[in-house]
Amino acid sequence: MSDSTRRTPSASGPSRRGFLTAAGLTAAGAALAAVQPSAGATPVRRPAAGAYRVPVEDVRHTRTWMAWPDSTAIWGRGALAGIQADIALIARTVARYEPVIMCANPASAAKARSQCGTSVTVISSIPVDDCWMRDSGPVFRTDGAGGLDAVGLNFNGWGRKQAHARDALVAERIAAYTGVPFSHAEFVGEGGAIEQDGAGTLMATRSSLLNRNRNPGMTERTLTAEMCAAYGASKVIWFDGVYGQDITDDHVDATSRFLAPGEALVQMPLATDDDAYAKDARQQYRLLTESTTAAGGPMDVTRLQGPDYERIRSTDPDFLASYANYYLCNDAVICAHFGDSRADTAAKATLARLYPDRTIEQLDIDRLGTGGGGIHCVTQQQPAR
């Protein structure tokens, strides 16, 4: 039996990045109940031709945005240095392929520069609470004619589970720094909660977004329409997800990703895994194979085999071993390895087959994995116009 069964969250509290909720929380946020509507994909009207939309992530980038963590209240004194080392490693690796801007608080900017090196630009004019730029940063959109703008998803600390006063302003401040128009979406969410194919189709989990800790009283139909308006899409493929067992309420980007319009990838559990996340992954795979795109075409779904938790390096019960949480930058795929050599090698081979024109960089980011996140979680792309 895989160790992922042992890592199943107990009824007493959350797992996967769960220890972060011990600091900077509000009790109300942790106690909110979830709304659970019926299953299915929900189409809405198609956006007008030439409208802004969020492109698929394999487009060329102008730069990558990241954030430097420095809070011992969130991470604890023992874990913070390791998290910073992983963030610096990711930033230096991405910087070999495209520019990286690291947002750091003034008091920690010098340390960030020292660890990231001269290839990474560190700025101290956009203060941050934590490192999860995928969730707090702006979602950039293009119009196909040289236009670029940004939308903010009203980050609220994953349902008020963590201090986020500075992170709530990061999206708008980055948009101002880059000089692009900015608007707020009409819902609360995080970038890691929504995957887009750039051609009208989104996918997301209900547990994360259709949840009273983000969008109280909002129906699935209304939320679908607002997500599509923000992303320039016309259809959402909804998965049930996993409620209340990790700080994100089960972000889709740890399990399922879009490769291109009509093409998706799902990280699959071992056949012997039967915890909530394994069941969630199998449902995501099944629903994707049964779904069509916004244009009505079939969905081609690739399986990406996850590791055996008995064979990975980490023994931490909160560890997230997600190959699917990779980041695409110009000419490279930045992904993780976890110490299960067979699965690590197979995952790299799968990504090399899917992205034959890109270099596959596999990194040891185990400290970040103990925090319940991965490489995609801490990066945010700014697409070229």
Side-chain angles (χ1 to χ4, degrees):
M1 180 69 68
S2 166
D3 197 38
S4 60
T5 300
R6 179 176 60 81
R7 293 159 197 268
T8 303
S10 68
S12 62
S15 184
R16 292 208 314 170
R17 216 197 299 177
F19 76 94
L20 294 179
T21 66
L25 313 186
T26 64
L32 288 170
V35 179
Q36 301 194 48
S38 59
T42 307
V44 297
R45 65 188 182 279
R46 188 177 302 280
Y52 281 91
R53 64 174 54 190
V54 182
V56 70
E57 291 186 20
D58 69 353
V59 300
R60 301 294 292 180
H61 300 169
T62 300
R63 60 179 61 91
T64 292
W65 289 89
M66 296 184 66
W68 186 256
D70 64 1
S71 173
T72 55
I74 290 174
W75 288 103
R77 294 189 181 278
L80 181 60
I83 295 297
Q84 290 174 334
D86 282 359
I87 292 293
L89 173 61
I90 294 167
R92 293 193 306 269
T93 305
V94 175
R96 296 207 290 267
Y97 300 93
E98 66 186 57
V100 175
I101 297 183
M102 181 75 68
C103 299
N105 295 319
S108 60
K111 183 174 184 180
R113 291 187 183 100
S114 174
Q115 291 195 231
C116 292
T118 57
S119 64
V120 175
T121 300
V122 177
I123 63 172
S124 58
S125 56
I126 301 177
V128 298
D129 292 298
D130 208 350
C131 61
W132 310 105
M133 184 60 80
R134 177 63 49 182
D135 294 346
S136 61
V139 178
F140 288 98
R141 309 184 299 187
T142 58
D143 67 356
L148 180 73
D149 76 352
V151 62
L153 302 186
N154 306 298
F155 180 69
N156 75 342
W158 308 282
R160 297 182 294 280
K161 300 188 187 84
Q162 182 176 298
H164 58 277
R166 287 173 287 187
D167 279 349
L169 301 174
V170 163
E172 187 168 1
R173 287 171 170 170
I174 288 178
Y177 184 97
T178 59
V180 302
F182 177 82
S183 61
H184 288 280
E186 296 296 324
F187 67 95
V188 174
E190 305 89 38
I194 302 171
E195 275 284 307
Q196 77 282 345
D197 74 349
T201 310
L202 307 177
M203 58 180 166
T205 61
R206 295 185 176 91
S207 56
S208 185
L209 291 169
L210 201 67
N211 190 319
R212 284 165 49 190
N213 63 22
R214 270 88 153 181
N215 297 293
M218 189 174 288
T219 65
E220 181 173 311
R221 180 179 293 275
T222 299
L223 180 56
T224 296
E226 298 299 352
M227 288 165 58
C228 287
Y231 276 70
S234 56
K235 178 176 182 176
V236 178
I237 299 171
W238 284 106
F239 312 123
D240 289 337
V242 179
Y243 283 86
Q245 297 193 37
D246 71 84
I247 197 172
T248 73
D249 295 299
D250 190 21
H251 273 181
V252 72
D253 71 343
T255 305
S256 296
R257 304 288 302 277
F258 276 121
L259 306 172
E263 298 180 28
L265 169 151
V266 179
Q267 178 166 316
M268 300 301 292
L270 298 183
T272 50
D273 291 344
D274 62 357
D275 60 274
Y277 292 101
K279 294 173 182 176
D280 175 50
R282 293 186 187 106
Q283 187 209 44
Q284 292 190 28
Y285 179 81
R286 178 180 60 79
L287 289 177
L288 280 172
T289 59
E290 296 171 354
S291 296
T292 58
T293 67
M299 192 75 68
D300 181 19
V301 188
T302 296
R303 293 171 177 257
L304 177 63
Q305 180 58 53
D308 184 342
Y309 274 77
E310 292 285 358
R311 297 178 181 273
I312 65 174
R313 288 180 296 268
S314 178
T315 59
D316 192 287
D318 294 326
F319 193 80
L320 174 65
S322 175
Y323 299 122
N325 199 256
Y326 59 86
Y327 179 61
L328 294 175
C329 58
N330 294 342
D331 304 316
V333 181
I334 317 299
C335 62
H337 62 77
F338 304 109
D340 178 349
S341 59
R342 180 180 298 178
D344 291 343
T345 300
K348 184 175 183 178
T350 297
L351 292 173
R353 176 173 58 82
L354 295 172
Y355 298 101
D357 297 326
R358 296 174 186 255
T359 301
I360 312 300
E361 299 270 10
Q362 256 188 329
L363 308 179
D364 178 349
I365 47 110
D366 279 4
R367 278 76 62 92
L368 194 62
T370 300
I375 296 167
H376 193 252
C377 296
V378 298
T379 50
Q380 181 64 264
Q381 70 277 359
Q382 181 180 331
R385 294 175 185 265

